[in-house]
Every structure is written in structure tokens, then in C-alpha cells.
Amino acid sequence: MDEPLFKKLKTEDSHEDKMNEPLLKKLKTEESHEDRISTHDNNKFVDNQDGNNNSHQTFLNEQNETNIKKSKKSINIYDRKNEEKVGMLHFVNQPCQFSGIIKQRFADFMVRECDLEGNLVYLKSLEHCDNGIFEDSSNQNTVVPVDVDVEQIKNFVLSEDKSKTLILKKDDDKEHRKLVHKYIKDTYKDIETGTEMLPDGSRAIILSFKCAKQQKSRKNNTWPKNLPKFCHFTLFKQNKDTMECISLLAKLLHVNASCFSYAGTKDRRATTVQQISAQNIYSKNLLGVNKRLNNIVLGDFVYRNEQLKLGDLTGNEFTIIIRNVQADDASVNQACNLLKENGFVNYFGLQRFGTGGVATHEIGKALLKNNFSEAVDMVLMPRLNSNDYNAESNAKKIWTETKDAAKAFEALLSCYSIEGKLLAALNQQKHGYNFWNAWQTLPRNNRLLYLHSYQSFIWNHVVSKRINMYGLSPVVGDLVLTGKKDQNGYDTSYELTDKDIESLTYSIYDVVLPLPGYDMRYPSNGIRQVYEEMLVADGLDINNMRNKIKELSLSGKLRNIIAKPTNMEWRVSL
């Protein structure tokens, strides 16, 4: 009987999970054929590292291909060659491996984000927070005129239908109307007021939403005073990637996807919880889209002055079920114990490099070389040997063969995907294509992911080369963190000397390598040459990582080459 066991950092009946349970009933359960497949041994581990899943690397090997082919369900077969292409060459615990299937079900791979304070993100509340905020925002700065129905005005402002108007009760007192006009103008910058003549000859104030052009011209003044501009919320999703959710929210709320930001993307075929921030969007409006979403829930709304940025997290908690394990209990326990004790090579996982027609790091490289037309072409390139015949693949094929943005966009049917945004932007250009301008229509986090992917590709290969050259021990010239920040808030490093090596002060777990970028310090041993050679081969210069376009100037970052999962637990079940 199929009875998979979850074992998390916090037990299944923890207080947080009890709070989550009633909130998640709206999520669709998987009742597809895959739920009826019998399973054999199951194994689970939790890894609270840097948001990068290396379970493929640690647990699976070539034997998996034969085992998975026997499954009744079509599952992506593990292929070691895909990892080798992006530099993932080494295991810390090489002799001890076993094979199995991950992500057979959405619930087999669960991810909870860990914020900058070290708190795990849970979905706890489905209440908006606009009532108190509006009172605080308006009462501190403006005087509410007498005989004004504040609640009626609030409800109108939060309405999703921007074509509506609201006529207040009749008011023939001109001075009083002036006070009301001023109050609304000061409190709700995206609302326009006027005076309406009623059928009986009396007058009343009428409220309407400013048109898009007016709002755009005053975009910095369309938010209530003293109300923080960023609404942070928890996003719970299942079988959807982060950007797919962002694009859908932008579509439903009639805003640009660039209004949203996040600390990191989460896996698609998984159940994940993370934080998102939205600029100049009321929590009531965000909450209102829940009823129109499937397998997505928004909650835990709070207004803050700062938006989330990529990297604003300390890690992720993973709960993973591995099915059809091809090993005995002793071998599984040995492998998991070694993983817990020795850790793993801290590679960036395959998800960092995408699944499109061209790997994301290749697109990032083209951008760094200012080859914008090439970058756009690669995003719009069909997957090789793909049997997909959907609108997206058809649109990509049209663009690749004709370079006709109008025809390709017409075939795509939607402008909310990355491909759709690019084709929509190109289609609007009347006098030749400006590929950089088209690229700028993508949300900033999307654009940065391609650049980060290239940095990750270089880093993976350099780490593998460093292990080839020096093994898993610190050597002279290696870098370690000092625990201090520079004036720009970046980690600073210290270079190991002969004395440090002799004293055994540092271990391999302290050694870091930089993601390539400007003003980065590189190891003085042979590893710097590895960086130089890889960048030169790609047409880039390690000493000139700044670009005339600020966005394309890479700042770099230090990252531990070996990592250990924290609070790791596992259980084997028949």
C-alpha cells in the first residue's frame, strides 16, 4: 500500500501546519493516474541551504534510467550528462549513492522559504490589512470633514472596476464641498473629484478613477500619504513556477509584472511557500484574486517601505520524498548519514539553467556581450526535437523562420509570458526592431536571472576545476569569509596563508569562491587563471566586468564551495 511518510523540520502536526491546513483546502488535489502508482521504498531529506536543490546530484545515477522506464507514468529521466554540461562533476560522497524518483507528485517536493530573520514562511492568514492602514494613513495627515461617509469612499477606492463612479450625498454648501474635495485629493491620489448637478437642482460631489494616462503622468503621487508603497504577502503555489504566478497576478490585477518582486524563484513541479512584494497594490485587491486562482493562494498581507530583492532570504526548507528507491535500508541510511555529516558540493542546480530551447546562461552571455538581438532570438528559439504543437512553440517557429513579430505574436495568443512580452514589444515597433528596448519590457527580476545564470555556470565549472586541482582540503591562496561587510554591504574575504593551513584553523567548509563580477577578489592560487580562461573563451574580460549599461554590470558574490544541510532528518518506509 502506498503510504509515503513526510518528515519535516517541524512535525506534520506542528502549530504552523495546523494553521495552514484550513487555508489550503481550496487547492486542487492530485487525483491523476500518478496517485495510483504503487511505490516501493521511500526516502526523504530536508536541506535548508541556499535555495538550490542538488538531490539529483546526490542521490540519483545512471541506473535510474532503467528503473524509471518501468514506471507507468511518463517521468523526466535523470541524465548525468545534463549536470556535466553545467559543471556539476563531483560528489562529496562518491562511493555511496542510490537511485530513485523525485517529484513524481507535486507534494513529493515541498519548499518553504526562510526569510532574512531566519523565519520559515507559512501561510497563516487570509485577511487583508487595508482597514487599519487607511485609518492610519488618512487620520494622521488630513482632517475628515463632517458628514462624510469614509467607509463608502474606501470601498469605492478598493473596487476592482475602475470604470465605476460614486456620487456622494447632496451637498449645497460650497465651503464644505471644498473641504471634501481637499480631503479626497490628499488621501486618494488616483481618485478624481468633481461637482455634479442632481435632478432636483442640488449639487453633490462625484468620484471617479483617473484614466491610465493621468495615473501614469502622476505615478509617484497616486498612493495615500504615509502608506508604505510595498504590500508584502505569502504566495502558496502548487505545480506552477514563480514567474507564471507573477504573470497571472499582473494579468488579473491589470498591472505590469514589474510591480512584483521576490527573493528567489521556486520549483514548478512542487508545493512551495514564499514571500512576494507588490508595489502600489492594495492588499484587498490582492486578496480578491484568490477566488479566481487555481492551486495558488495569497495571504499574510502587510505593508512595508522596502520591496523584496533577489537574494533576500537565508535559505529554504525542503521536504522531499524519493520513490522507487533501488537500495536496501542500510545503504539509504549510510548515504543520508554521509550527506548529513559531509555535505555536498554547493553547485547551482539544473533549474538555474532553464528548460527552454537555449540554456539561460547562454542568453546571459549574449547580454553581457551586448548582443541583444541574439539574446532575444535565443529566448524565442523552439526547443530542439520537441513534439510540442502549442501556441508558444508555433509562435517561436514563426519568429525563427520569418523574424516577423506581428505574425508570431498573433500566433501566440497571449502577451503575459516572457515570449509574449518580447513579441508584443517588437510588434509595436514601427521602424525596425530595437531589441534592447524590447528586452526592457521584461520584469527586472526576469532580466537579472539570465545574468545570474551565466555567473552560476562559470562558478560551477570553477568549483569542479578547483576540486580537480586541490581536492577537498583548503590550500594556500583560498578565500574564506571574514564575517564583515564592506562599505557597500558586501561580504569581505581573507586569503589563507601557510600558517593558516598548518594550524588547521580553517576547513573546506570555510572556503568560498566568487561569482564573477566587478571589484571581486579572486584566489591568488591557480584558480584565478581558471576564471580568466573561461571568461576569455566567452569573449569577456575578468578585469572589465562593468558595462556602459548599468544593469549589465555584474557585482559578483562569494559562495561556499561545500555546504551541509541543517537539521536534516529522514525516514525509510515500505
Side-chain angles (χ1 to χ4, degrees):
M1 181 177 179
D2 183 9
E3 189 179 358
L5 296 176
F6 294 107
K7 194 172 186 180
K8 299 182 287 189
L9 298 181
K10 297 186 182 295
T11 59
E12 287 292 326
D13 58 352
S14 67
H15 174 67
E16 290 87 350
D17 286 334
K18 286 181 178 179
M19 295 183 73
N20 278 346
E21 184 177 356
L23 301 178
L24 307 179
K25 288 181 179 179
K26 78 183 289 294
L27 291 174
K28 292 182 176 179
T29 58
E30 285 192 292
E31 297 179 352
S32 61
H33 174 71
E34 63 178 315
D35 286 316
R36 298 188 291 276
I37 298 176
S38 62
T39 62
H40 306 294
D41 293 341
N42 292 289
N43 173 263
K44 184 282 309 149
F45 79 93
V46 174
D47 169 12
N48 191 29
Q49 290 301 318
D50 193 15
N52 300 294
N53 166 37
N54 294 318
S55 57
H56 275 104
Q57 164 215 330
T58 308
F59 290 114
L60 304 180
N61 58 35
E62 288 82 356
Q63 295 176 358
N64 201 21
E65 181 170 345
T66 301
N67 299 328
I68 294 177
K69 283 181 178 179
K70 297 177 181 179
S71 174
K72 297 177 182 179
K73 183 183 185 298
S74 176
I75 299 174
N76 289 332
I77 295 175
Y78 168 73
D79 187 350
R80 178 72 178 136
K81 293 179 181 178
N82 289 333
E83 293 179 344
E84 294 173 348
K85 289 177 183 178
V86 295
M88 301 168 66
L89 305 181
H90 295 289
F91 295 89
V92 171
N93 307 301
Q94 182 69 36
C96 191
Q97 304 173 32
F98 61 83
S99 65
I101 300 173
I102 64 172
K103 298 187 178 182
Q104 184 171 336
R105 307 178 185 177
F106 307 147
D108 285 357
F109 198 89
M110 303 174 66
V111 185
R112 281 193 176 95
E113 195 167 81
C114 190
D115 64 23
L116 289 175
E117 286 71 46
N119 302 312
L120 289 172
V121 177
Y122 288 88
L123 181 60
K124 300 178 180 179
S125 170
L126 291 181
E127 300 291 332
H128 69 77
C129 60
D130 287 342
N131 290 336
I133 289 291
F134 270 91
E135 291 169 7
D136 292 342
S137 176
S138 58
N139 291 344
Q140 291 179 7
N141 298 281
T142 60
V143 177
V144 181
V146 296
D147 296 330
V148 171
D149 190 339
V150 175
E151 196 63 32
Q152 180 189 30
I153 296 174
K154 288 181 186 177
N155 290 335
F156 172 75
V157 171
L158 294 173
S159 170
E160 294 184 16
D161 185 356
K162 304 305 180 185
S163 63
K164 290 170 54 176
T165 59
L166 172 66
I167 298 178
L168 304 181
K169 65 181 181 180
K170 66 180 180 179
D171 186 356
D172 288 325
D173 185 340
K174 185 175 182 180
E175 294 303 315
H176 183 264
R177 291 201 306 271
K178 285 183 180 180
L179 294 176
V180 177
H181 282 299
K182 184 178 186 308
Y183 164 72
I184 295 173
K185 178 181 178 181
D186 291 344
T187 308
Y188 308 107
K189 298 296 184 181
D190 52 352
I191 299 299
E192 194 169 36
T193 64
T195 301
E196 183 88 353
M197 181 75 74
L198 302 179
D200 63 1
S202 60
R203 288 176 169 78
I205 291 177
I206 182 172
L207 279 58
S208 61
F209 290 93
K210 292 180 179 177
C211 67
K213 185 175 182 179
Q214 288 176 297
Q215 292 191 32
K216 185 176 181 180
S217 65
R218 298 187 59 185
K219 62 181 178 180
N220 295 324
N221 299 307
T222 59
W223 195 248
K225 290 183 178 180
N226 284 353
L227 177 61
K229 291 186 175 182
F230 300 99
C231 183
H232 289 235
F233 61 93
T234 299
L235 168 68
F236 186 106
K237 64 181 182 65
Q238 192 173 62
N239 197 34
K240 297 181 186 296
D241 63 45
T242 303
M243 277 314 304
E244 181 182 358
C245 294
I246 295 299
S247 295
L248 180 58
L249 293 178
K251 176 182 178 181
L252 294 175
L253 291 164
H254 306 290
V255 298
N256 196 300
S258 61
C259 293
F260 298 90
S261 57
Y262 45 85
T265 58
K266 300 293 181 280
D267 299 74
R268 176 186 178 87
R269 188 169 179 80
T271 300
T272 73
V273 187
Q274 68 182 112
Q275 290 191 321
I276 305 287
S277 65
Q279 183 174 4
N280 291 1
I281 301 177
Y282 297 120
S283 68
K284 188 172 182 179
N285 289 348
L286 288 164
L287 179 64
V289 301
N290 270 340
K291 60 181 178 288
R292 304 169 65 185
L293 299 173
N294 290 320
N295 293 357
I296 301 173
V297 182
L298 315 182
D300 303 329
F301 303 100
V302 59
Y303 289 100
R304 292 177 180 157
N305 290 317
E306 301 81 22
Q307 71 179 129
L308 282 172
K309 301 185 295 295
L310 284 175
D312 281 352
L313 75 168
T314 56
N316 294 282
E317 176 199 79
F318 294 92
T319 303
I320 302 173
I321 292 180
I322 303 179
R323 300 179 184 274
N324 290 28
V325 172
Q326 305 299 308
D328 56 37
D329 291 5
S331 298
V332 170
N333 286 322
Q334 181 187 14
C336 291
N337 272 312
L338 287 173
L339 175 63
K340 181 177 182 178
E341 293 171 7
N342 300 334
F344 54 89
V345 184
N346 198 20
Y347 290 123
F348 290 96
L350 290 176
Q351 66 190 48
R352 177 63 65 107
F353 305 101
T355 59
V358 177
T360 53
H361 68 274
E362 293 289 349
I363 300 171
K365 179 172 69 175
L367 291 169
L368 292 172
K369 297 168 69 174
N370 291 355
N371 293 336
F372 307 129
S373 62
E374 182 181 350
V376 170
D377 280 344
M378 286 192 286
V379 172
L380 297 177
M381 184 177 293
R383 297 184 187 185
L384 294 176
N385 304 318
S386 173
N387 293 322
D388 294 338
Y389 295 103
N390 54 30
E392 179 182 307
S393 61
N394 187 35
K396 287 182 175 181
K397 182 179 180 182
I398 292 173
W399 170 261
T400 301
E401 294 176 351
T402 69
K403 294 297 184 288
D404 189 325
K407 289 183 179 179
F409 181 64
E410 183 180 3
L412 189 60
L413 303 177
S414 172
C415 63
Y416 292 100
S417 63
I418 291 175
E419 294 82 2
K421 290 179 183 296
L422 287 175
L423 288 173
L426 293 171
N427 184 41
Q428 291 173 359
Q429 297 174 5
K430 305 302 181 183
H431 305 290
Y433 295 139
N434 186 317
F435 292 98
W436 175 247
N437 285 352
W439 188 260
Q440 288 296 104
T441 63
L442 299 180
R444 185 172 185 273
N445 278 359
N446 275 83
R447 305 195 304 268
L448 292 178
L449 285 175
Y450 293 100
L451 304 178
H452 294 167
S453 177
Y454 178 74
Q455 290 178 299
S456 304
F457 178 81
I458 297 295
W459 194 90
N460 276 4
H461 280 278
V462 173
V463 169
S464 291
K465 188 67 174 179
R466 192 256 176 236
I467 295 175
N468 282 338
M469 294 170 64
Y470 303 120
L472 292 174
S473 299
V475 297
V476 174
D478 275 340
L479 300 179
V480 297
L481 295 176
T482 65
K484 299 178 181 179
K485 304 282 186 180
D486 63 17
Q487 59 184 4
N488 297 316
Y490 295 113
D491 292 321
T492 58
S493 60
Y494 166 75
E495 189 173 286
L496 298 185
T497 64
D498 288 318
K499 184 177 180 181
D500 295 317
I501 301 301
E502 292 171 3
S503 66
L504 303 178
T505 304
Y506 299 95
S507 73
I508 192 63
Y509 301 104
D510 299 308
V511 176
V512 297
L513 281 174
L515 278 77
Y518 62 82
D519 294 340
M520 289 303 296
R521 182 181 189 178
Y522 295 90
S524 62
N525 48 35
I527 298 303
R528 179 186 174 89
Q529 185 178 351
V530 176
Y531 280 99
E532 291 177 342
E533 290 174 353
M534 287 198 69
L535 291 172
V536 167
D538 287 340
L540 298 169
D541 181 358
I542 194 173
N543 298 310
N544 187 22
M545 297 299 288
R546 292 188 184 272
N547 194 296
K548 292 181 180 179
I549 300 175
K550 184 177 180 180
E551 181 179 303
L552 301 180
S553 295
L554 298 180
S555 59
K557 182 182 179 182
L558 296 169
R559 179 180 172 91
N560 290 88
I561 67 173
I562 305 294
K564 284 185 179 181
T566 58
N567 300 316
M568 176 177 164
E569 300 176 0
W570 65 91
R571 179 183 300 174
V572 177
S573 174
L574 293 177

